[in-house]
Amino acid sequence: MANIMVTGGAGFIGGNFVHYWAQKHPNDTVTVLDALTYAGNKSTIAGAEQADLVVGDIRDTDLVKQLLRERDITTLIHFAAESHVDRSISGPDAFIDTNILGTNSLLKAARSAWLDTGDGREHRFHHISTDEVYGSLEPDEPAFAEDTQYRPNSPYSASKASSDHLVRAYHHTFGLSVTTSNCSNNYGPYQYPEKLIPLFLLNALNGKPLPIYGDGMNVRDWLHVEDHCRGIEACLAQGKPGETYNIGGGAELPNMAVIDAICAEVDKAFAEIEGLAERFPDSPAANGQTTNTLKTFVEDRKGHDRRYAIDETKARAELDYSAQWDFADGLGQTLRWYLDNEAWWHPLLKG
């Protein structure tokens, strides 16, 4: 039995991790620390009986110290972050506050509880980061490895790069036992509908435009969130303190290919699922048209990175990690989850 803390555990990846951990480790207790900002939702962790939600800010160092000590927590998995690139362009300050100052607050609390006044037991601070810290790749460049130079290009990725460096520094300076994982683009259940896949799925269901940045050929590696949770579990079990591991999905695709796959999945769903046209009458697929008629090209995002790709050689060798979800199967599963869970996402839509 272990006592763990999950920051941002009512968000997309953190919430999926809470469900995953509760299923795989039913005897563990899970303290979820989440400020419940716009992307945090209590209903995301409904059903995870081991999870105890504490509504609070990761920048509240005293609160974190109190929880670590009173609940005898020895493993902290840090998901909490502002993560939407578009929002970081229009309002960088929140990203500095949460991703940098918030991470520093957690590290201070962990150092205090586990090193300064702790009893010397084993502990782990696992930090969730992103492949975006490495910058943008040209088409013929090799994929990001753990020793790739950091070249963040957005306020979001710059704030995450800074938090990565802080985590590394607390290990090398103070001896805090840390690991970091840099993941590629996640998708799956419970994702807030501002990211590409859920946004386009829900827009397609409601007959709204599918806004495609630039020429639609920006390339990303797509990682099903369940595979990401498996990778984090492997980091905690087998990762070496002070090390970084890249977790990818093995599905490097241009955005246009992903969008075309979404359109095809929506059309397929309307053809196969009785009553879907009555539920979503504004969808082209409900009216004998194809979903790709909603595709709309818009001005490219400022500083839009062209390509990301993950080299997960180290994770395979040291953690025995490899993605299990095929992208086509994962996308189909994701669409069906959103169709089956309208009560979760419908309140999040505006207008």
Side-chain angles (χ1 to χ4, degrees), residues 157-189:
S157 57
S159 67
K160 290 299 290 183
S162 179
S163 67
D164 293 2
H165 293 319
L166 282 170
V167 172
R168 174 183 171 85
Y170 266 75
H171 172 71
H172 285 275
T173 301
F174 303 115
L176 196 68
S177 180
V178 308
T179 42
T180 295
S181 55
N182 294 79
C183 68
S184 54
N185 273 34
N186 280 227
Y187 70 99

Side-chain angles (χ1 to χ4, degrees), residues 156-275:
Y156 162 61
S157 57
S159 67
K160 290 299 290 183
S162 179
S163 67
D164 293 2
H165 293 319
L166 282 170
V167 172
R168 174 183 171 85
Y170 266 75
H171 172 71
H172 285 275
T173 301
F174 303 115
L176 196 68
S177 180
V178 308
T179 42
T180 295
S181 55
N182 294 79
C183 68
S184 54
N185 273 34
N186 280 227
Y187 70 99
Y190 297 110
Q191 189 168 27
Y192 190 81
E194 65 184 358
K195 301 295 180 75
L196 190 152
I197 288 179
L199 174 67
F200 278 44
L201 283 176
L202 301 187
N203 278 13
L205 293 176
N206 292 289
K208 296 182 178 180
L210 308 182
I212 303 167
Y213 281 133
D215 62 2
M217 297 307 292
N218 298 73
V219 174
R220 301 292 183 262
D221 173 54
W222 292 91
L223 170 65
H224 192 284
V225 68
E226 184 179 271
D227 280 330
H228 189 191
C229 293
R230 290 178 47 253
I232 296 166
E233 181 184 38
C235 285
L236 293 171
Q238 299 164 248
K240 300 175 183 177
E243 292 294 316
T244 295
Y245 299 93
N246 283 351
I247 306 298
E252 189 179 342
L253 297 167
N255 285 347
M256 190 60 75
V258 174
I259 293 163
D260 286 340
I262 293 170
C263 292
E265 281 292 334
V266 171
D267 291 344
K268 178 182 176 183
F270 274 83
E272 294 178 351
I273 301 176
E274 185 176 354

Side-chain angles (χ1 to χ4, degrees), residues 118-134:
D119 59 8
R121 285 182 300 168
E122 291 187 3
H123 62 270
R124 179 64 60 87
F125 185 110
H126 185 75
H127 176 57
I128 312 299
S129 191
T130 171
D131 57 359
E132 296 190 39
V133 298
Y134 299 119

Side-chain angles (χ1 to χ4, degrees), residues 37-182:
T37 57
Y38 77 96
N41 195 325
K42 291 181 181 179
S43 63
T44 296
I45 54 174
E49 295 183 0
Q50 299 100 309
D52 179 25
L53 174 63
V54 176
V55 180
D57 195 319
I58 60 172
R59 294 172 297 177
D60 187 344
T61 310
D62 289 338
L63 170 63
V64 179
K65 285 193 289 188
Q66 177 183 351
L67 292 171
L68 293 176
R69 290 169 177 162
E70 293 183 354
R71 302 189 178 205
D72 196 26
I73 293 165
T74 55
T75 301
L76 190 157
I77 305 98
H78 175 34
F79 293 93
E82 294 284 348
S83 65
H84 191 42
V85 175
D86 286 1
R87 288 177 181 265
S88 82
I89 294 170
S90 60
D93 288 359
F95 291 73
I96 305 301
D97 289 343
T98 299
N99 299 350
I100 301 177
L101 300 181
T103 299
N104 186 55
S105 170
L106 292 172
L107 289 165
K108 289 193 297 181
R111 177 191 174 194
S112 175
W114 293 337
L115 299 179
D116 296 346
T117 58
D119 59 8
R121 285 182 300 168
E122 291 187 3
H123 62 270
R124 179 64 60 87
F125 185 110
H126 185 75
H127 176 57
I128 312 299
S129 191
T130 171
D131 57 359
E132 296 190 39
V133 298
Y134 299 119
S136 183
L137 291 170
E138 295 297 325
D140 58 347
E141 283 189 288
F144 300 133
E146 287 80 1
D147 59 358
T148 299
Q149 179 181 341
Y150 273 30
R151 298 181 301 179
N153 290 321
S154 70
Y156 162 61
S157 57
S159 67
K160 290 299 290 183
S162 179
S163 67
D164 293 2
H165 293 319
L166 282 170
V167 172
R168 174 183 171 85
Y170 266 75
H171 172 71
H172 285 275
T173 301
F174 303 115
L176 196 68
S177 180
V178 308
T179 42
T180 295
S181 55
N182 294 79

Side-chain angles (χ1 to χ4, degrees), residues 277-342:
E278 288 72 27
R279 286 176 60 192
F280 303 103
D282 294 328
S283 175
N287 298 286
Q289 302 177 41
T290 58
T291 301
N292 64 18
T293 58
L294 295 173
K295 292 195 292 190
T296 305
F297 288 91
V298 298
E299 183 179 355
D300 205 358
R301 184 170 68 199
K302 294 179 180 178
H304 199 178
D305 289 339
R306 191 63 173 174
R307 172 178 169 245
Y308 304 144
I310 285 285
D311 178 352
E312 55 191 39
T313 301
K314 181 177 178 180
R316 286 197 301 269
E318 296 188 15
L319 308 178
D320 194 28
Y321 167 81
S322 62
Q324 294 185 359
W325 276 96
D326 171 79
F327 179 75
D329 292 338
L331 181 63
Q333 179 258 11
T334 300
L335 171 60
R336 299 308 167 101
W337 185 89
Y338 279 90
L339 290 175
D340 292 340
N341 291 275
E342 186 176 354

